[in-house]
Amino acid sequence: EADIYQTPRYLVIGTGKKITLECSQTMGHDKMYWYQQDPGMELHLIHYSYGVNSTEKGDLSSESTVSRIRTEHFPLTLESARPSHTSQYLCASSEWVGRGHEKLFFGSGTQLSVL
Amino acid sequence: KQEVTQIPAALSVPEGENLVLNCSFTDSAIYNLQWFRQDPGKGLTSLLLIQSSQREQTSGRLNASLDKSSGRSTLYIAASQPGDSATYLCASDGSTNDYKLSFGAGTTVTVRA
C-alpha cells in the first residue's frame, strides 16, 4: 500500500492569507493529483502531475497553483485565500498496475476553512 | 467528459442485510472502474479496481461487477455490519477525459445495529 501524507489536517485562516497545503508520498509514484470536494458532492480534479517538473490543470478551474520539484512532494498554494476556497482538498498518487490501469491512493485530506 | 452517477444518494439498512450500490457512467471506453470508501472527514480508501477486460472483482464480502456496454457497475456488500457505514464512491476513467478518473457523488450507507 502507498503511504501518502497531507498536512495540515485542518486549517482555519482569514481572508487574504497565503497558504500552502502539503502532500508527500513515499512510494515513488510518478503521477500525483489534487482533488477538491465539497460536502455530499463528487470529487473534482484541480491539478495533476505526471512527474518532476510536470504540472497540469484539472477539470475544475482553481485559483490555486502547484509545483513538483521532487517526486515525493506535490504542494498546493493559494496566494490569497477567500471564503469561496473553503473545501476539503484531497491529494492522491497512482500506481501503474499494467495495461493502462492505474490504482489511486489518497491522503487523509485537508479541511480548509477561510473566514 | 465522463459523467458518473450513483443512485441512491443514501441508504439505511439493518445489520445483516445485503447492500447493493449502483453506479452508471456515460463513456463506455474505459480502462478501469474503481470503488472507494470514505469515512466522514477522511480521505478515500480503494476497495476494488475492475479492469475494462474484467466483469467482476471480489474481496471478502465485497463484489463489484462491470457491464461496459450498458455503462453500469454494481457494488455488493454481503451481510452488512455497522462498521460498513460510510460513503462509497465510484470512479471511472474514459477516452473523453483523457483517461483521468471522474467521480460520482457517492452513496452514504448507514447500517443499523
Side-chain angles (χ1 to χ4, degrees):
Chain A
E1 287 289 331
D3 291 318
I4 181 163
Y5 307 100
Q6 288 187 246
T7 57
R9 183 74 183 84
Y10 301 96
L11 181 60
V12 181
I13 60 168
T15 298
K17 299 291 186 183
K18 177 180 178 179
I19 61 165
T20 296
L21 308 184
E22 301 288 349
C23 177
S24 296
Q25 49 96 4
T26 60
M27 296 302 291
H29 292 166
D30 287 324
K31 288 189 180 180
M32 295 189 73
Y33 310 81
W34 275 103
Y35 288 87
Q36 186 174 340
Q37 185 185 30
D38 293 318
M41 304 295 288
E42 60 266 35
L43 278 72
H44 290 287
L45 181 66
I46 51 175
H47 298 284
Y48 60 101
S49 168
Y50 288 125
V52 172
N53 294 325
S54 157
T55 60
E56 303 286 344
K57 290 192 177 295
D59 306 317
L60 182 68
S61 176
S62 174
E63 294 168 349
S64 58
T65 59
V66 292
S67 62
R68 192 86 184 277
I69 299 173
R70 304 197 315 267
T71 297
E72 62 271 22
H73 196 211
F74 191 38
L76 180 146
T77 299
L78 275 165
E79 290 293 334
S80 179
R82 295 205 299 270
S84 61
H85 296 139
T86 295
S87 188
Q88 182 172 29
Y89 292 83
L90 292 162
C91 180
S93 66
S94 64
E95 176 182 67
W96 178 259
V97 294
R99 284 193 170 186
H101 306 296
E102 300 204 31
K103 186 176 181 180
L104 273 176
F105 298 89
F106 281 84
S108 296
T110 294
Q111 180 61 53
L112 172 65
S113 297
V114 184
L115 307 178
Chain B
K1 179 179 178 296
Q2 178 74 286
E3 301 287 342
V4 180
T5 304
Q6 291 186 249
I7 295 172
L11 190 58
S12 179
V13 299
E15 184 176 2
E17 193 165 300
N18 296 332
L19 287 163
V20 180
L21 308 180
N22 298 302
C23 171
S24 62
F25 47 94
T26 54
D27 179 5
S28 61
I30 66 171
Y31 273 134
N32 67 70
L33 183 141
Q34 295 186 47
W35 283 93
F36 295 87
R37 169 182 172 142
Q38 185 175 32
D39 292 292
K42 300 283 184 66
L44 279 69
T45 301
S46 179
L47 296 174
L48 292 166
L49 182 153
I50 312 175
Q51 299 180 9
S52 57
S53 58
Q54 299 172 324
R55 293 192 65 83
E56 66 176 352
Q57 276 287 335
T58 298
S59 176
R61 292 183 295 110
L62 305 180
N63 174 276
S65 66
L66 174 64
D67 184 343
K68 280 177 54 179
S69 60
S70 65
R72 293 179 185 173
S73 177
T74 303
L75 178 66
Y76 301 91
I77 303 177
S80 61
Q81 304 168 358
D84 294 329
S85 299
T87 297
Y88 293 84
L89 293 102
C90 169
S92 181
D93 58 16
S95 61
T96 53
N97 196 32
D98 195 26
Y99 295 101
K100 296 189 293 294
L101 283 180
S102 294
F103 284 80
T107 295
T108 298
V109 171
T110 302
V111 180
R112 308 186 302 271

